[in-house]
Amino acid sequence: MEGSVPEGVAIVVLGRRAAALARRVQEILPGARVHGPRGRGGPWDESYDRAVPHIAALFAAGRPILGICASGILVRAVAPLVADKQKEPPLVALAADGSAAVPLLGGHHGGNALARHLAEHLRAVAAVTTAEDLRFGLALDEPPPGWHIADPEAAKRVAAALLAGASVALIDETGSADWLRAAPIAWAAEAEARVLVSDRAAAAQTPALVFHPPILALGIGCERECPAGEIADLAYASLAAAGLAPQAVAAVVSVDRKLAEPGIHALAQSLGVPARFFTAQRLLDETPRLTERSAAAYRATGCWGVAEGAALAAAGEGGVLVVAKRKSRGATCAVARAARPIDAQALGRARGALAVVGIGPGDPASRTGEADAALAAATDIVGYGLYLDLLGAAVAAKNLHRGTLGKEEARVRLALDLAAEGRSVALVSSGDAGIYGLAALVFELLDRESRPDWRAVAVNVCPGVSALQAAAARAGAPLGHDFCAISLSDLMTPWQAIEKRLDMAAAGDFVLALYNPRSARRQTRLAQAAAILLRHRAPQTPVFVARNLGRAGESGRLLTLAELAEAELDMLSLVIVGSSRTRRLDGDPPRLYTPRGYFDRAPR
C-alpha cells in the first residue's frame, strides 16, 4: 500500500536552472505550485525573498514541500520546527537532475508516496528509508484513505514487533483488510501482538492495533432547521448504543431535500466525513428493506423512510441495517454497514459550493492562502478571461469557464448553476471580491430570485488584496487615516449621486481612492471629479496614480491635485487623493503617508 500522493505541494526552487524540471513536476502533481526567488525573475507561481525562512514558513503552515535542491538546505530550514511526527507535513528533496527523490520527513503522511510517484514519472530513484516500507511495502501508521487508527501509538508497537520477527495476529471482523493481507507478512492466527480491523468501538487501553475501516453509513432525517446539537446527540448516542466506532463512519447521508440543512453538515464536519444526498426516487428503491414506513416522511420528502433509506442506499448491495431508526424530537437516525469499504465521494451527490475568490491585483504573491486553497479545491473556475490567464498554472487542471468584460451577471449565474449541480466552483474576481467585485452580485441574485437550487449552495467569500490596498502600499501609507473609495463609473450609479459623494467626502477631509477614473466613453468625468475636490483641497494636495497593479507593465507616479484633470489614465488605473494631512516624504522613490495623529495626542 503506497499511500496517497499529497495535493497542493509547494515546489521550491532556488534559481532559473530548476524551472524546467519544476514545471515538469508540476504537471504530474495535483494542485502543485512553483515557488521561486523574487529577484531572479523566473516563471514562478509564488515568489520569496529568502529561501530558508520561506521553507520554514511553508513547513510551519503544514504545506507539503518538494525542494529541488540539496537535502541539507531543507533540513537546516525546518530543523528548529521538527517536533511531532504525527503532525509534520511531507518534506521531500528532489535532485536537480531529477535522478533521486528523498523523503526527509512525513514519509508516512505522503512523503514516501510522493517520492515513489516522482520516481515512476521521472524514472528516478525513490530513496525511501523507513523500515516498514522497505521490508513490507506498507506503513501501519498510513492506512488507506478513510481508514482510522484508534491509537496511533499502537502502530509503533506492532511495527516494532514485526521488524523484530515476532508473531503478530491479524483479526479482520469486517472482511476489509485486503491491503494488510497483500503485504509479505506471515500473519499468525493467535499472538500477543494483534492487528484488529473492526467497526466496533475500541476498548480503552486495548493492546491491539485497531483499524476502523469506512464501512458505516450514518443516515439522518430531520425537520427543517433542526438544531445541530440535537442531530449530533442523536447520532453519537445511536452509535454508542450499538457499540460502533464513530471513526468507522464513511459518510453522513440523507435525502436531497436536506442539501442545505446546517445540522447535517455540522455532524459530518464533526465526524470528518462528507455529507452526501440521494434523490427521493433512489430512497424509494430501499422501501422493501425498511423496518417501518413513515407516512409523514412520504408526505414531506416523497420516500417512506429517510434515515434508514439513505443509510441502506449508501451501504449498497450486501449492506445491512445495524441500527434501526431512532428518533429525537425533530430528527431520525439509522446506521447501515457495507460489505466493503465505502467510497463516500461516489455516493449520491454533494452539496454544491461556491467560493467567491478575490485574487488580488494579479501577482500570485499577493493572493491569500485562503484564495489559493479555494482555487485548489474547486472543480470549476468561472471568471473574466484576463483573470483566468493571470492565474495560470494554479487553475491549469480545472474546468475553466471564460467570460467577457461587461457580462458579470452572466458569469455569476453560470457559477451558481454549476454549484447547484453539486460542483465545487470558484468565481474569480480581481482585487477583493467584496470591494467593487462580484460578491455583492452573488448575494443580490440570491435575494432577488426564488431559486431553491441556488439557495442550497454553500457560499463562501474569500477576501483578496484590493486595488486600493496594493496602490497604497506602492505609494507608502496614504491610507494611514480615515479614507473612502468612490467609483467614477456612472454605468450603474447616476453621476449626480457620484458628484454628491465626492463633494461630501472632500468636505469631510477623507483620503479618496478613485476607481474607474476614465474610459473611452467617460472622458470628462475625471476632470469633473478633480474640480469638485479642488473646492475643498489645495492644488498641491498629493495624488498617487497606479496602473496595472501586480501585472506586467505596472507603474506608479506622484502628481498634484492640480495636475489630475489632465493626467493620462484609463480603466486599469486607480487614483489615491490625499487629505489635508497627507504628506510627501522625498526620497528614492518619494513616498506619501497620512499621519494617524500619534504625535498630536496630549501627554497622559
Side-chain angles (χ1 to χ4, degrees):
M1 195 273 303
E2 296 294 323
S4 301
V5 177
E7 295 188 359
V9 174
I11 305 172
V12 180
V13 300
L14 305 184
R16 292 185 63 89
R17 279 193 287 182
L21 177 59
R23 289 303 182 194
R24 184 180 172 196
V25 169
Q26 189 176 34
E27 292 176 356
I28 63 176
L29 295 180
R33 295 176 62 77
V34 179
H35 298 233
R38 193 183 314 277
R40 299 191 184 179
W44 324 128
D45 298 317
E46 300 187 31
S47 302
Y48 61 79
D49 293 315
R50 297 170 58 210
V52 168
H54 185 69
I55 294 167
L58 290 170
F59 188 80
R63 287 283 300 277
I65 301 170
L66 173 66
I68 303 181
C69 59
S71 58
I73 294 173
L74 300 177
V75 170
R76 285 191 291 273
V78 306
L81 304 173
V82 176
D84 188 345
K85 174 183 176 181
Q86 299 301 324
K87 297 181 180 179
E88 291 164 359
L91 179 69
V92 177
L94 179 64
D97 61 357
S99 61
V102 184
L104 301 171
L105 291 172
H108 290 173
H109 297 131
N112 291 346
L114 175 57
R116 289 192 172 106
H117 187 71
L118 292 169
E120 178 183 351
H121 286 81
L122 301 177
R123 297 184 180 180
V125 174
V128 175
T129 59
T130 45
E132 294 167 75
D133 288 73
L134 289 172
R135 185 164 171 185
F136 304 122
L138 58 75
L140 291 177
D141 59 356
E142 190 182 11
W147 288 60
H148 291 88
I149 302 174
D151 177 12
E153 289 299 314
K156 298 179 182 179
R157 298 193 297 269
V158 173
L162 285 170
L163 291 170
S167 294
V168 177
L170 173 60
I171 304 168
D172 181 10
E173 298 179 346
T174 68
S176 303
D178 293 348
W179 65 281
L180 289 167
R181 295 192 188 92
I185 299 173
W187 299 104
E190 293 289 340
E192 182 177 348
R194 295 182 300 141
V195 173
L196 173 63
V197 180
S198 175
D199 63 1
R200 295 183 293 111
Q205 306 301 319
T206 179
L209 168 57
V210 180
F211 287 109
H212 295 303
I215 59 173
L216 299 180
L218 184 59
I220 296 291
C222 64
E223 296 176 354
R224 184 178 179 183
E225 296 184 355
C226 182
E230 179 182 342
I231 293 174
D233 289 346
L234 175 62
Y236 283 104
S238 298
L239 291 168
L244 297 171
Q247 298 95 322
V249 173
V252 175
V253 290
S254 190
V255 69
D256 59 7
R257 287 177 178 264
K258 299 298 175 182
L259 267 169
E261 199 63 51
I264 292 178
H265 291 283
L267 173 62
Q269 185 175 19
S270 73
L271 288 165
V273 299
R276 307 292 290 192
F277 301 87
F278 297 95
T279 65
Q281 182 59 51
R282 175 65 186 88
L283 299 193
L284 274 176
D285 295 341
E286 300 297 336
T287 303
R289 297 206 285 172
L290 301 181
T291 61
E292 65 175 87
R293 300 185 184 187
S294 168
Y298 188 83
R299 288 192 300 271
T301 67
C303 61
W304 292 102
V306 173
E308 289 187 353
L312 288 165
E317 186 177 355
V320 295
L321 203 62
V322 291
V323 176
K325 183 173 70 175
R326 292 167 58 99
K327 302 179 183 178
S328 64
R329 188 192 65 79
T332 58
C333 175
V335 182
R337 177 189 291 127
R340 304 293 295 169
I342 296 171
D343 178 3
Q345 302 303 326
L347 299 176
R349 60 167 290 188
R351 182 188 188 188
L354 174 60
V356 191
V357 181
I359 64 169
D363 182 356
S366 297
R367 285 202 300 274
T368 67
E370 182 181 2
D372 280 340
L375 293 171
T379 57
D380 294 76
I381 313 290
V382 179
Y384 173 42
L386 171 62
Y387 303 154
L388 298 186
D389 291 338
L390 289 172
L391 289 171
V395 296
K398 310 293 183 178
N399 299 317
L400 302 182
H401 305 268
R402 293 178 175 273
T404 56
L405 195 63
K407 302 293 184 181
E408 287 77 13
E409 182 181 341
R411 294 204 297 277
V412 172
R413 287 181 177 275
L414 174 61
L416 286 167
D417 285 341
L418 291 170
E421 295 175 6
R423 305 193 201 191
S424 179
V425 181
L427 175 62
V428 171
S429 188
S430 67
D432 182 280
I435 300 177
Y436 298 122
L438 296 178
L441 182 53
V442 169
F443 293 112
E444 185 175 5
L445 283 173
L446 289 172
D447 189 31
R448 291 169 62 93
E449 302 205 8
S450 179
R451 289 282 301 269
D453 58 337
W454 285 0
R455 290 293 184 93
V457 170
V459 179
N460 179 42
V461 179
C462 302
V465 177
S466 69
L468 67 89
Q469 290 174 297
R474 304 295 195 272
L479 306 183
H481 210 321
D482 297 337
F483 65 91
C484 66
I486 297 176
S487 171
L488 299 188
S489 172
D490 57 1
L491 287 175
M492 288 175 283
T493 304
W495 179 249
Q496 293 78 8
I498 296 173
E499 286 183 308
K500 182 177 180 181
R501 291 170 186 173
L502 286 167
D503 188 68
M504 296 179 71
D509 203 23
F510 289 95
V511 176
L512 280 87
L514 302 180
Y515 281 73
N516 306 314
R518 178 178 283 148
S519 70
R521 192 183 65 82
R522 296 179 292 102
Q523 291 292 321
T524 63
R525 295 308 192 196
L526 180 61
Q528 292 173 271
I532 293 171
L533 299 179
L534 282 167
R535 297 176 197 162
H536 304 276
R537 306 275 167 94
Q540 295 306 308
T541 299
V543 173
F544 182 76
V545 175
R547 186 180 186 280
N548 239 23
L549 286 162
R551 306 169 194 170
E554 176 184 312
S555 64
R557 54 197 169 114
L558 288 176
L559 308 172
T560 65
L561 184 54
E563 298 171 313
L564 180 58
E566 302 300 323
E568 291 294 328
L569 303 178
D570 58 18
M571 290 291 285
L572 297 178
S573 303
L574 184 134
V575 178
I576 295 181
V577 181
S579 71
S580 65
R581 295 175 58 84
T582 303
R583 300 288 180 263
R584 172 173 172 149
L585 179 65
D586 289 330
D588 186 17
R591 297 299 186 96
L592 300 183
Y593 73 98
T594 304
R596 180 77 185 277
Y598 289 101
F599 298 104
D600 298 334
R601 294 180 297 181
R604 295 183 178 180

